[in-house]
Amino acid sequence: MEDERQQDDVPAARDALMSPRRLSRLLFGPDAEAQLPTPAPVAVRVEQAWNDYQGGRLGTVVAALPALLQTAQELEERAARHGEARGDCWAVSARTHHLAATTLAKIGESDVSWLAAERAMRAADESDDPLVLASAARSGTHALLANGRYDDALELGNTAAAWLASQVSVRDPAALSLLGMIHLRAAVAAARHQDRSTAAGLLDRAEELAGDLGSDENYWQTGFGPTNVLLHRLSVELDLDNVSYVVEHGRIDVDHMPQERSVSHRIDYARALSLAGQGDEAFTALRMAERTSPQLVRNNPRVRETLRDLIKQSPVTSGSRSSEVLVMAQRCRAVQ
């Protein structure tokens, strides 16, 4: 995941999620004298890792995940053994596993992403905090989408949205943001299932919530607001093969958004430009995205697909490997 040196921390994150110690608290409980962490300092570390994720520093997040996941397990043990700060322990575990699920889905580790999402939602259930559960549900939709389970992602999104709306006041900007993001993820699921009417309805609901919020905010690291709704509308149209719409409306200002969101949009826009036969413009968009966050671009499956298409549109001749497109494709592991 690092930019300049050979280093792969994903197996360590996978090992942390699949450790035999995760299977049974009774069989593998810590020694009675073990010093278990408290939730407050761990919560700070987890939110710092979330900031790295939004900043596009995926290598930093993946490198931090193994220790964070181990600590989350220890917090769950504290909740079970001691009882004090029980809800906080489970809430921090949920946020940790949510981060793992979302990050791993982003880089194509779909199966292990589902495992992390399942743990996030179980911990959120135990936290007795509706916002924690609503946030964790987002990780479930990410993992289901990554695994191609679009119906299930839509069902989870709709169920979570209905439940959250009954639990909180829509005047709470954090709740409003989480509810809006759940609608947006469900809209993506509907679009990938080629259900335009459902996707449009969900986008409209999210747009109403963004209007109530009034501006682009970042409660619970959602980046929710009017601009994020617009970005998801473009992404949905791309999934529905409305390439011309994305090309016509995709040139928007995203510099004020979290880098994960701005780069994801530029990747979608480049994909649309490529499909429209505008290869030079597509490559320019990809290079701009790579300059903003190399790790997000170089580990994105859609980038690889787009680069392979650009190579077909402008094949390298005479065995030359000097093509900028080919060089970028090699950096992103789109070609050998």
Side-chain angles (χ1 to χ4, degrees):
M1 293 297 301
E2 297 304 318
D3 294 331
E4 302 298 336
R5 63 182 187 273
Q6 295 296 320
Q7 181 175 329
D8 185 1
D9 297 299
V10 173
R14 187 184 300 115
D15 289 346
L17 283 165
M18 301 182 70
S19 167
R21 300 187 67 86
R22 302 302 305 259
L23 296 175
S24 170
R25 184 172 289 115
L26 291 177
L27 293 178
F28 294 102
D31 184 86
E33 301 302 320
Q35 184 68 37
L36 295 173
T38 56
V42 182
V44 173
R45 290 166 53 201
V46 173
E47 295 310 312
Q48 288 172 342
W50 268 107
N51 290 337
D52 286 329
Y53 173 82
Q54 284 204 318
R57 297 179 290 276
L58 291 188
T60 302
V61 178
V62 173
L65 278 178
L68 288 175
L69 290 166
Q70 174 62 35
T71 305
Q73 181 182 4
E74 293 169 354
L75 285 174
E76 293 177 8
E77 182 63 30
R78 169 176 282 277
R81 287 175 53 187
H82 299 295
E84 77 269 12
R86 178 184 182 279
D88 290 341
C89 288
W90 283 110
V92 175
S93 177
R95 289 290 286 164
T96 304
H97 286 94
H98 178 178
L99 175 65
T102 300
T103 303
L104 293 166
K106 178 70 71 175
I107 61 175
E109 295 285 339
S110 56
D111 289 348
V112 74
S113 170
W114 168 251
L115 179 60
E118 186 179 32
R119 297 241 173 91
M121 294 204 67
R122 182 177 69 86
D125 279 349
E126 295 288 345
S127 75
D128 295 324
D129 185 329
L131 296 185
V132 172
L133 182 53
S135 181
R138 289 174 56 213
S139 72
T141 61
H142 279 289
L144 288 166
L145 286 169
N147 281 280
R149 301 179 66 92
Y150 307 137
D151 284 345
D152 290 337
L154 180 59
E155 180 184 8
L156 174 59
N158 287 337
T159 301
W163 180 85
L164 180 62
S166 70
Q167 295 290 317
V168 298
S169 167
V170 293
R171 290 188 296 271
D172 177 358
L176 192 150
S177 297
L178 288 168
L179 183 58
M181 282 305 302
I182 290 171
H183 286 322
L184 291 179
R185 300 313 300 164
V188 171
R192 292 185 184 175
H193 195 58
Q194 299 302 299
D195 185 346
R196 173 176 286 280
S197 62
T198 298
L202 290 162
L203 286 168
D204 289 344
R205 283 182 237 165
E207 188 169 20
E208 291 175 6
L209 293 167
D212 292 340
L213 188 63
S215 59
D216 294 322
E217 302 293 345
N218 197 29
Y219 295 97
W220 287 72
Q221 282 79 30
T222 57
F224 183 71
T227 302
N228 209 347
V229 175
L230 176 58
L231 298 185
H232 277 79
R233 195 176 291 280
L234 291 165
S235 183
V236 160
E237 291 297 336
L238 183 59
D239 285 329
L240 290 168
D241 298 321
N242 190 359
V243 173
S244 61
Y245 179 93
V246 182
V247 171
E248 181 180 355
H249 296 92
R251 195 180 297 277
I252 59 177
D253 180 15
V254 292
D255 289 341
H256 67 291
M257 296 294 289
Q259 286 189 3
E260 183 274 329
R261 283 280 77 224
S262 66
V263 170
S264 294
H265 166 67
R266 289 186 174 114
I267 290 170
D268 283 347
Y269 185 46
R271 181 66 183 148
L273 290 167
S274 171
L275 291 171
Q278 299 181 32
D280 290 344
E281 294 84 352
F283 185 54
T284 297
L286 285 182
R287 285 193 300 182
M288 183 180 297
E290 188 182 29
R291 285 195 295 269
T292 303
S293 176
Q295 293 169 357
L296 276 172
V297 171
R298 294 174 189 175
N299 294 281
N300 187 289
R302 179 165 278 183
V303 169
R304 295 180 185 130
E305 186 178 11
T306 300
L307 286 168
R308 284 192 286 266
D309 285 351
L310 292 178
I311 289 173
K312 292 176 184 176
Q313 292 175 24
S314 302
V316 178
T317 59
S318 303
S320 170
R321 303 183 68 84
S322 61
S323 163
E324 289 185 71
V325 174
L326 183 57
V327 171
M328 184 176 184
Q330 290 169 331
R331 285 199 302 271
C332 297
R333 302 189 303 281
V335 296
Q336 296 298 321

